[in-house]
Amino acid sequence: MHAMQYEITLPADYDMGIVRDRVARKGHLLDDWPGLGLKAYLMRERGVHGSPVNAYAPFYLWNTAEGMNAFLWGGAFQGLADDFGRPAVRQWTGLALEEGGAAGSPAVVAVRRRERVPDGVVLSEVMAEAVAEAGRLAREDGALLAAAAVDAGSWELAHFSLWEHDTPKAEGDVFRVLHLSAPELGALPRGRQW
C-alpha cells in the first residue's frame, strides 16, 4: 500500500464553492481507476474545525505503484497542476490499514496527523506503535477506516482516518470529505504490512 497526498493552500477569501464544484464535476473520474484503493477528496475551510487555512488536499491509498504513476504521469494530475499550480506530492509507505465498525457508511470527515519519528528510537517499536494506533482509531465509534504510513526519507509518520460523523475521536487536521472514490478498497491489504 502506498499513501499519497498533496495540499493546495488557497487564499483566505477564496470561494471554496469552486473546489466543491470541481469535485462534483470531476470526482467520479477516479471511481474506477485501476490500482486505486481509495481517494478521499478533502477540503479544509478557514475557521471550520479549527482550520487556519482554506485548502484542497486529496488523500490516496494505492494498491499499486503502476496505478499511482499512471495518475501522476498519465495526464489526470496534469489538469490539477494546470488549474492550481503543481503542488508537492507527499508519499508514504503503508504500515497498516484497519476497517472500522462504520465501514461502508458515507464518509463525512477525515483526520490526518503527521509526526516526526524521533532520533535515537528503536524503529520497529515506533512502527509497531503506529500500527497499534491505526487499530485503536478503527475501533472508535464512527470510524470507517484508519491507516498508518511512514516516509523513510523525511522520517515522518502519517495517521489517516475516515469518519461517518463530524466529531472524530482522532487528533490532527480535520478535513471535510467531498467525495470518495474507492474502486479497489477491498483489495487493499488489512492489518500490519510487514
Side-chain angles (χ1 to χ4, degrees):
M1 179 177 75
H2 309 278
M4 182 180 95
Q5 186 177 37
Y6 45 87
E7 188 163 354
I8 300 165
T9 302
L10 300 162
D13 62 351
Y14 190 81
D15 178 3
M16 296 304 284
I18 295 169
V19 172
R20 286 185 186 89
D21 180 62
R22 177 187 180 86
V23 172
R25 285 183 293 108
K26 298 184 177 203
H28 72 280
L29 296 175
L30 269 68
D31 286 352
D32 60 358
W33 193 273
L36 177 62
L38 173 139
K39 176 180 181 179
Y41 294 78
L42 305 179
M43 178 181 83
R44 294 176 78 191
E45 288 186 271
R46 187 170 181 239
V48 178
H49 288 292
S51 177
V53 298
N54 288 327
Y56 177 53
F59 189 91
Y60 303 75
L61 294 175
W62 293 97
N63 275 330
T64 67
E66 294 85 0
M68 180 175 63
N69 290 339
F71 172 78
L72 289 170
W73 322 133
F77 181 71
Q78 189 64 50
L80 176 115
D82 291 346
D83 290 348
F84 291 102
R86 186 180 65 208
V89 179
R90 294 177 173 266
Q91 295 183 29
W92 301 270
T93 300
L95 295 172
L97 175 65
E98 298 291 348
E99 272 192 353
S105 300
V108 174
V109 298
V111 179
R112 180 210 59 211
R113 179 169 50 96
R114 297 188 319 234
E115 62 181 299
R116 184 159 166 26
V117 176
D119 293 330
V121 298
V122 177
L123 292 175
S124 61
E125 292 175 3
V126 172
M127 300 311 145
E129 289 170 7
V131 169
E133 176 66 1
R136 185 195 70 76
L137 287 172
R139 289 187 299 275
E140 292 288 349
D141 182 48
L144 278 71
L145 63 79
V150 63
D151 175 347
S154 63
W155 291 108
E156 177 186 70
L157 286 169
H159 301 273
F160 177 77
S161 52
L162 286 174
W163 302 83
E164 70 171 351
H165 52 68
D166 62 0
T167 55
K169 294 184 177 140
E171 293 180 17
D173 298 323
V174 178
F175 299 84
R176 175 73 48 198
V177 178
L178 301 177
H179 180 74
L180 198 64
S181 293
E184 296 182 16
L185 179 59
L188 285 171
R190 301 307 196 260
R192 185 174 128 164
Q193 301 195 11
W194 80 91

